[in-house]
Amino acid sequence: MKLAIFTLLAGSAVAFTSTPLKTNFKSATELNMAVLPSKLAYKPCISLKDLPPPGFATSGVAGGLAICIAVDPKGAVYALGDKCPPVNQPLSFGKVNADGTIEDPVLGTKFSLKTGQVVGTWCPSGIGKILGGLFEPSGVPTFPVRKSGQNIDVQVDINAKANFESSYWSGVLDAQGKADGKYY
């Protein structure tokens, strides 16, 4: 019985820890499905009045992508993807540290504000030790950011969302009975 349980657990773990397929991608967001070419543009994300005080972060949307706007204790503004690996909770709920990192609020992983790469131990807290063992360490995307008028703008691939959703309706009948998702 113990052997059967051990085999079941080992088999389940292998399903989550296999090496991901290596694919080429054009966008730093890894959402480009090559239907439309990658096109970078600055898009408004949050207004200046919504900019958090130094040491905090908030969430916004630019070009259809969830963005974390973080302000370090010195006042520098950074834009990162707002989904923490491995379970995609919002990075904007995290703590911005004086060492140039933002800390995942649940699993404790620290990500560099400049590069988005993991700094230190992957998933060091509580349940993170269990989940972290199932997944390879991975960072979050970073985006150039600028102040424009009364907004904080973030440079994103404006075709990323359309490419991600391009085959969503394929083969599914919509309300008008068409399978291609196109409307008049």
Side-chain angles (χ1 to χ4, degrees), residues 51-58 68-80 94-103 111-114 145:
L51 189 66
F56 291 91
T58 191
C68 169
I69 301 292
V71 182
D72 74 8
K74 296 178 183 174
V77 178
Y78 298 90
L80 302 97
K95 177 184 174 191
V96 180
N97 302 307
D99 63 356
T101 62
I102 185 167
E103 187 174 339
F111 300 95
S112 168
L113 291 171
K114 292 182 181 178
V145 64

CSV table of all heavy atoms in Angstrom, one decimal, residues 51-58 68-80 94-103 111-114 145:
chain,number,residue,atom,x,y,z
A,51,LEU,N,-0.6,56.9,-8.3
A,51,LEU,CA,0.7,56.4,-8.0
A,51,LEU,C,0.9,56.1,-6.5
A,51,LEU,O,0.7,57.0,-5.7
A,51,LEU,CB,1.8,57.3,-8.6
A,51,LEU,CG,3.2,56.9,-8.6
A,51,LEU,CD1,3.4,55.7,-9.6
A,51,LEU,CD2,4.1,58.0,-9.0
A,52,PRO,N,1.4,54.9,-6.1
A,52,PRO,CA,1.5,54.7,-4.7
A,52,PRO,C,2.7,55.4,-4.1
A,52,PRO,O,3.6,55.8,-4.9
A,52,PRO,CB,1.8,53.2,-4.7
A,52,PRO,CG,2.3,52.8,-6.0
A,52,PRO,CD,1.7,53.8,-7.0
A,53,PRO,N,2.7,55.6,-2.8
A,53,PRO,CA,3.9,56.2,-2.2
A,53,PRO,C,5.1,55.3,-2.2
A,53,PRO,O,5.0,54.1,-2.5
A,53,PRO,CB,3.4,56.5,-0.7
A,53,PRO,CG,2.3,55.5,-0.5
A,53,PRO,CD,1.7,55.2,-1.8
A,54,PRO,N,6.3,55.9,-2.0
A,54,PRO,CA,7.5,55.1,-2.1
A,54,PRO,C,7.4,53.9,-1.1
A,54,PRO,O,6.9,54.0,0.0
A,54,PRO,CB,8.6,56.0,-1.6
A,54,PRO,CG,8.1,57.4,-2.1
A,54,PRO,CD,6.6,57.3,-1.9
A,55,GLY,N,7.9,52.7,-1.6
A,55,GLY,CA,7.8,51.5,-0.8
A,55,GLY,C,6.6,50.7,-1.1
A,55,GLY,O,6.4,49.6,-0.4
A,56,PHE,N,5.7,51.1,-2.0
A,56,PHE,CA,4.5,50.4,-2.2
A,56,PHE,C,4.3,50.1,-3.7
A,56,PHE,O,5.0,50.6,-4.5
A,56,PHE,CB,3.3,51.1,-1.6
A,56,PHE,CG,3.3,51.2,-0.1
A,56,PHE,CD1,3.9,52.2,0.5
A,56,PHE,CD2,2.7,50.2,0.6
A,56,PHE,CE1,3.9,52.3,1.9
A,56,PHE,CE2,2.7,50.2,2.0
A,56,PHE,CZ,3.3,51.3,2.7
A,57,ALA,N,3.2,49.3,-4.0
A,57,ALA,CA,2.9,49.0,-5.4
A,57,ALA,C,1.4,49.0,-5.6
A,57,ALA,O,0.6,49.0,-4.6
A,57,ALA,CB,3.5,47.6,-5.7
A,58,THR,N,1.0,49.1,-6.8
A,58,THR,CA,-0.4,49.1,-7.2
A,58,THR,C,-0.5,48.4,-8.5
A,58,THR,O,0.4,48.1,-9.2
A,58,THR,CB,-1.0,50.5,-7.3
A,58,THR,OG1,-2.4,50.4,-7.3
A,58,THR,CG2,-0.5,51.3,-8.4
A,68,CYS,N,2.0,45.6,-12.7
A,68,CYS,CA,2.3,46.0,-11.3
A,68,CYS,C,3.2,47.3,-11.4
A,68,CYS,O,4.2,47.2,-12.0
A,68,CYS,CB,3.0,44.9,-10.6
A,68,CYS,SG,3.7,45.5,-9.0
A,69,ILE,N,2.7,48.4,-10.9
A,69,ILE,CA,3.5,49.6,-10.8
A,69,ILE,C,4.1,49.7,-9.4
A,69,ILE,O,3.3,49.8,-8.4
A,69,ILE,CB,2.7,50.9,-11.1
A,69,ILE,CG1,2.1,50.8,-12.5
A,69,ILE,CG2,3.5,52.1,-11.0
A,69,ILE,CD1,3.1,50.8,-13.7
A,70,ALA,N,5.4,49.6,-9.3
A,70,ALA,CA,6.1,49.6,-8.0
A,70,ALA,C,6.9,50.9,-7.9
A,70,ALA,O,7.6,51.3,-8.8
A,70,ALA,CB,6.9,48.4,-7.8
A,71,VAL,N,6.9,51.5,-6.7
A,71,VAL,CA,7.8,52.6,-6.4
A,71,VAL,C,8.7,52.2,-5.3
A,71,VAL,O,8.3,51.9,-4.2
A,71,VAL,CB,6.9,53.9,-6.0
A,71,VAL,CG1,7.8,55.1,-5.7
A,71,VAL,CG2,5.8,54.2,-7.0
A,72,ASP,N,10.0,52.3,-5.6
A,72,ASP,CA,11.0,51.9,-4.6
A,72,ASP,C,11.1,53.0,-3.5
A,72,ASP,O,10.6,54.1,-3.7
A,72,ASP,CB,12.4,51.5,-5.2
A,72,ASP,CG,13.2,52.7,-5.7
A,72,ASP,OD1,12.8,53.9,-5.5
A,72,ASP,OD2,14.2,52.4,-6.3
A,73,PRO,N,11.8,52.7,-2.4
A,73,PRO,CA,11.9,53.7,-1.3
A,73,PRO,C,12.5,55.0,-1.7
A,73,PRO,O,12.3,56.0,-1.0
A,73,PRO,CB,12.7,53.0,-0.2
A,73,PRO,CG,12.4,51.5,-0.5
A,73,PRO,CD,12.3,51.4,-1.9
A,74,LYS,N,13.3,55.0,-2.8
A,74,LYS,CA,13.9,56.3,-3.3
A,74,LYS,C,13.0,57.0,-4.2
A,74,LYS,O,13.4,58.1,-4.6
A,74,LYS,CB,15.2,55.9,-3.9
A,74,LYS,CG,16.3,55.3,-3.0
A,74,LYS,CD,17.5,55.0,-3.7
A,74,LYS,CE,18.5,54.3,-2.8
A,74,LYS,NZ,19.7,53.8,-3.5
A,75,GLY,N,11.9,56.4,-4.6
A,75,GLY,CA,10.9,57.1,-5.5
A,75,GLY,C,11.0,56.7,-6.9
A,75,GLY,O,10.2,57.3,-7.7
A,76,ALA,N,11.9,55.8,-7.3
A,76,ALA,CA,11.9,55.4,-8.7
A,76,ALA,C,10.7,54.5,-9.0
A,76,ALA,O,10.3,53.7,-8.2
A,76,ALA,CB,13.2,54.6,-9.0
A,77,VAL,N,10.2,54.6,-10.2
A,77,VAL,CA,9.0,53.9,-10.6
A,77,VAL,C,9.3,52.7,-11.6
A,77,VAL,O,10.1,52.9,-12.5
A,77,VAL,CB,8.0,54.8,-11.3
A,77,VAL,CG1,6.7,54.1,-11.7
A,77,VAL,CG2,7.6,55.9,-10.4
A,78,TYR,N,8.8,51.5,-11.3
A,78,TYR,CA,9.0,50.4,-12.1
A,78,TYR,C,7.7,49.7,-12.6
A,78,TYR,O,6.7,49.8,-11.8
A,78,TYR,CB,9.8,49.3,-11.4
A,78,TYR,CG,11.2,49.8,-10.9
A,78,TYR,CD1,11.4,50.5,-9.7
A,78,TYR,CD2,12.3,49.6,-11.7
A,78,TYR,CE1,12.6,50.9,-9.3
A,78,TYR,CE2,13.6,50.1,-11.3
A,78,TYR,CZ,13.7,50.7,-10.1
A,78,TYR,OH,14.9,51.2,-9.7
A,79,ALA,N,7.7,49.0,-13.7
A,79,ALA,CA,6.6,48.3,-14.2
A,79,ALA,C,7.0,46.8,-14.4
A,79,ALA,O,7.9,46.6,-15.1
A,79,ALA,CB,6.0,48.9,-15.5
A,80,LEU,N,6.2,46.0,-13.8
A,80,LEU,CA,6.4,44.5,-14.0
A,80,LEU,C,5.1,43.8,-14.3
A,80,LEU,O,4.0,44.4,-14.0
A,80,LEU,CB,7.0,43.9,-12.6
A,80,LEU,CG,8.2,44.5,-12.1
A,80,LEU,CD1,8.0,45.5,-11.0
A,80,LEU,CD2,9.1,43.4,-11.5
A,94,GLY,N,2.5,42.8,-3.2
A,94,GLY,CA,3.7,42.5,-2.5
A,94,GLY,C,4.4,43.7,-1.8
A,94,GLY,O,3.9,44.8,-2.0
A,95,LYS,N,5.4,43.4,-1.1
A,95,LYS,CA,6.2,44.4,-0.4
A,95,LYS,C,7.4,44.9,-1.2
A,95,LYS,O,8.2,44.1,-1.7
A,95,LYS,CB,6.7,43.9,0.9
A,95,LYS,CG,7.5,44.8,1.8
A,95,LYS,CD,8.0,44.1,3.0
A,95,LYS,CE,8.9,45.0,3.8
A,95,LYS,NZ,9.6,44.3,4.8
A,96,VAL,N,7.5,46.2,-1.4
A,96,VAL,CA,8.7,46.8,-2.1
A,96,VAL,C,9.8,47.0,-1.1
A,96,VAL,O,9.6,47.7,-0.1
A,96,VAL,CB,8.3,48.1,-2.9
A,96,VAL,CG1,9.5,48.6,-3.6
A,96,VAL,CG2,7.1,47.8,-3.8
A,97,ASN,N,10.9,46.4,-1.4
A,97,ASN,CA,12.0,46.4,-0.4
A,97,ASN,C,13.1,47.5,-0.8
A,97,ASN,O,13.2,47.8,-2.0
A,97,ASN,CB,12.7,45.1,-0.3
A,97,ASN,CG,11.7,44.0,0.1
A,97,ASN,OD1,11.0,44.2,1.2
A,97,ASN,ND2,11.6,42.9,-0.6
A,98,ALA,N,13.9,47.9,0.1
A,98,ALA,CA,15.0,48.9,-0.1
A,98,ALA,C,16.1,48.3,-1.0
A,98,ALA,O,16.9,49.0,-1.5
A,98,ALA,CB,15.5,49.4,1.2
A,99,ASP,N,16.2,46.9,-1.1
A,99,ASP,CA,17.3,46.3,-1.8
A,99,ASP,C,16.9,46.2,-3.3
A,99,ASP,O,17.6,45.5,-4.1
A,99,ASP,CB,17.6,44.9,-1.3
A,99,ASP,CG,16.5,43.9,-1.4
A,99,ASP,OD1,15.3,44.3,-1.8
A,99,ASP,OD2,16.7,42.8,-1.0
A,100,GLY,N,15.9,46.9,-3.8
A,100,GLY,CA,15.6,46.9,-5.2
A,100,GLY,C,14.7,45.7,-5.6
A,100,GLY,O,14.8,45.3,-6.8
A,101,THR,N,14.0,45.1,-4.7
A,101,THR,CA,13.2,43.9,-5.0
A,101,THR,C,11.7,44.2,-4.6
A,101,THR,O,11.5,45.1,-3.8
A,101,THR,CB,13.7,42.6,-4.3
A,101,THR,OG1,13.6,42.8,-2.9
A,101,THR,CG2,15.1,42.3,-4.7
A,102,ILE,N,10.9,43.3,-5.1
A,102,ILE,CA,9.5,43.3,-4.6
A,102,ILE,C,9.2,41.8,-4.2
A,102,ILE,O,9.6,40.9,-4.9
A,102,ILE,CB,8.5,43.8,-5.7
A,102,ILE,CG1,7.0,43.8,-5.1
A,102,ILE,CG2,8.5,43.0,-7.0
A,102,ILE,CD1,6.0,44.6,-5.9
A,103,GLU,N,8.6,41.6,-3.1
A,103,GLU,CA,8.4,40.3,-2.5
A,103,GLU,C,7.0,39.8,-2.7
A,103,GLU,O,6.0,40.5,-2.4
A,103,GLU,CB,8.7,40.3,-1.0
A,103,GLU,CG,8.7,39.0,-0.3
A,103,GLU,CD,9.2,39.1,1.1
A,103,GLU,OE1,9.8,40.1,1.5
A,103,GLU,OE2,8.8,38.2,1.9
A,111,PHE,N,11.6,39.4,-6.4
A,111,PHE,CA,11.9,39.6,-7.8
A,111,PHE,C,12.6,41.0,-7.9
A,111,PHE,O,12.2,42.0,-7.3
A,111,PHE,CB,10.6,39.6,-8.6
A,111,PHE,CG,9.8,38.4,-8.6
A,111,PHE,CD1,8.8,38.2,-7.7
A,111,PHE,CD2,10.2,37.3,-9.4
A,111,PHE,CE1,8.1,37.0,-7.6
A,111,PHE,CE2,9.5,36.1,-9.3
A,111,PHE,CZ,8.4,36.0,-8.4
A,112,SER,N,13.6,41.1,-8.8
A,112,SER,CA,14.3,42.3,-9.0
A,112,SER,C,13.3,43.3,-9.7
A,112,SER,O,12.7,43.0,-10.7
A,112,SER,CB,15.5,42.1,-9.9
A,112,SER,OG,16.0,43.3,-10.4
A,113,LEU,N,13.3,44.5,-9.2
A,113,LEU,CA,12.5,45.6,-9.9
A,113,LEU,C,13.0,45.9,-11.3
A,113,LEU,O,12.2,46.3,-12.2
A,113,LEU,CB,12.4,46.8,-9.0
A,113,LEU,CG,11.7,46.7,-7.7
A,113,LEU,CD1,11.9,47.9,-6.8
A,113,LEU,CD2,10.2,46.5,-7.9
A,114,LYS,N,14.3,45.8,-11.5
A,114,LYS,CA,14.9,46.2,-12.8
A,114,LYS,C,14.8,45.1,-13.8
A,114,LYS,O,14.6,45.4,-15.0
A,114,LYS,CB,16.4,46.6,-12.5
A,114,LYS,CG,16.5,47.9,-11.8
A,114,LYS,CD,18.0,48.2,-11.6
A,114,LYS,CE,18.1,49.5,-10.8
A,114,LYS,NZ,19.5,49.9,-10.6
A,145,VAL,N,8.9,52.3,-18.4
A,145,VAL,CA,7.8,53.1,-17.9
A,145,VAL,C,8.2,54.6,-18.0
A,145,VAL,O,9.4,54.9,-18.0
A,145,VAL,CB,7.5,52.7,-16.4
A,145,VAL,CG1,8.7,53.0,-15.5
A,145,VAL,CG2,6.3,53.4,-15.9
